[in-house]
Amino acid sequence: MYLSKITLEPSSQAAREILRLGPKGSYGSHQLLWTLFSDQDNRNFLFREELGVAGLPLFYTLSQTPPQTDSPVFAVQTKQFAPSLKAGDRLAYRLRANPTVAKKNDSGKSARHDVLMNAKRAAKTGKEKTADQISQLMYEAAKGWLADEHRQRSWGLTLDFLPDASNYRQHRSLKPNGREIKYSSIDYEGVLTVTDAAKFLQRYAQGFGRAKAFGCGLMMLRRLAY
């Protein structure tokens, strides 16, 4: 795997690309980053977008092949990423994820729903609640999604404590054909312990959760002392 830090070059072409990103949101960022992996027919990279210097986008990518480094738009720093992990290793993590839950509709078909909005709808039934109480229930649902025991086992990890959750956002991106894409994201932060290194690394390479084409699923890690 290759972990890369990608910023925009101070060029007129990069400025034009920033303007083009506007209505496209994370989908536009994904398409722009894909130009660094033009040898791929299918996406094999994860990415995370943050605000960098002067409010310009800063990207991190995790890929199976190295990105091109001769782009007139991007400045690319990349390195091979092959962490040596074993059960018991403790890692600080940051994760932007798209927590969803499967629910059946009136026709009996299963569909994915935003975990936080699902909690909001449930909170509005029964006893009346304040806006702060509803918000608290939404964030508790988000934390519960990540802390789900089955999910932790399948990912080869355990959370040392419930994660911090912040920056819940509902996104709208436009595809080139004008189709609108809607999804949500939330930022998690905390500490985990690896329970099965093979499972964890496999999931790490695949990404955590859904909406990976829209900047979700890449977990940023920092090793902690025992």
Side-chain angles (χ1 to χ4, degrees), residues 132-180:
D132 286 345
Q133 288 173 327
I134 292 174
S135 178
Q136 181 179 350
L137 290 170
M138 292 170 66
Y139 275 89
E140 285 176 357
K143 294 176 183 181
W145 177 86
L146 191 64
D148 177 77
E149 290 185 1
H150 173 74
R151 182 169 287 108
Q152 291 184 67
R153 285 195 301 272
S154 67
W155 288 354
L157 62 86
T158 184
L159 302 183
D160 288 28
F161 46 81
L162 278 177
D164 291 332
S166 62
N167 198 28
Y168 172 62
R169 294 180 61 193
Q170 293 179 317
H171 304 264
R172 287 176 171 82
S173 296
L174 289 178
K175 282 192 168 185
N177 61 8
R179 179 192 167 201
E180 187 178 55

Side-chain angles (χ1 to χ4, degrees), residues 43-61:
R43 174 190 57 81
N44 78 354
F45 66 91
L46 304 170
F47 78 96
R48 177 186 174 98
E49 182 174 349
E50 298 182 356
L51 282 180
V53 177
L56 294 175
L58 163 66
F59 301 98
Y60 294 96
T61 64

Side-chain angles (χ1 to χ4, degrees), residues 111-129:
R112 307 299 303 188
H113 295 269
D114 177 342
V115 163
L116 285 90
M117 291 306 296
N118 187 62
K120 183 177 182 179
R121 285 190 291 269
K124 288 186 174 181
T125 62
K127 184 179 178 181
E128 187 174 347
K129 300 176 180 67

Side-chain angles (χ1 to χ4, degrees), residues 1-5 61-63 66-67 77-82:
M1 294 185 290
Y2 295 84
L3 185 63
S4 305
K5 179 181 179 180
T61 64
L62 182 72
S63 56
Q77 303 174 49
T78 189
K79 63 180 181 180
Q80 281 193 293
F81 186 69

Side-chain angles (χ1 to χ4, degrees), residues 11 22 40 69 87-88 92 110 128 163 172 178 222:
S11 66
Q40 299 177 11
T69 56
S110 181
E128 187 174 347
R172 287 176 171 82
R222 177 170 57 85

Side-chain angles (χ1 to χ4, degrees), residues 5-19 21 29 32 48-60 73-75:
K5 179 181 179 180
I6 300 171
T7 55
L8 289 164
E9 292 280 16
S11 66
S12 58
Q13 185 172 348
R16 288 194 297 271
E17 294 295 348
I18 292 175
L19 291 175
L21 283 180
S29 299
L32 186 57
R48 177 186 174 98
E49 182 174 349
E50 298 182 356
L51 282 180
V53 177
L56 294 175
L58 163 66
F59 301 98
Y60 294 96
V73 175
F74 291 117

Side-chain angles (χ1 to χ4, degrees), residues 189-204:
E189 189 169 355
V191 175
L192 64 83
T193 298
V194 176
T195 56
D196 186 316
K199 277 186 180 180
F200 178 75
L201 289 172
Q202 181 181 33
R203 174 52 57 183
Y204 188 84

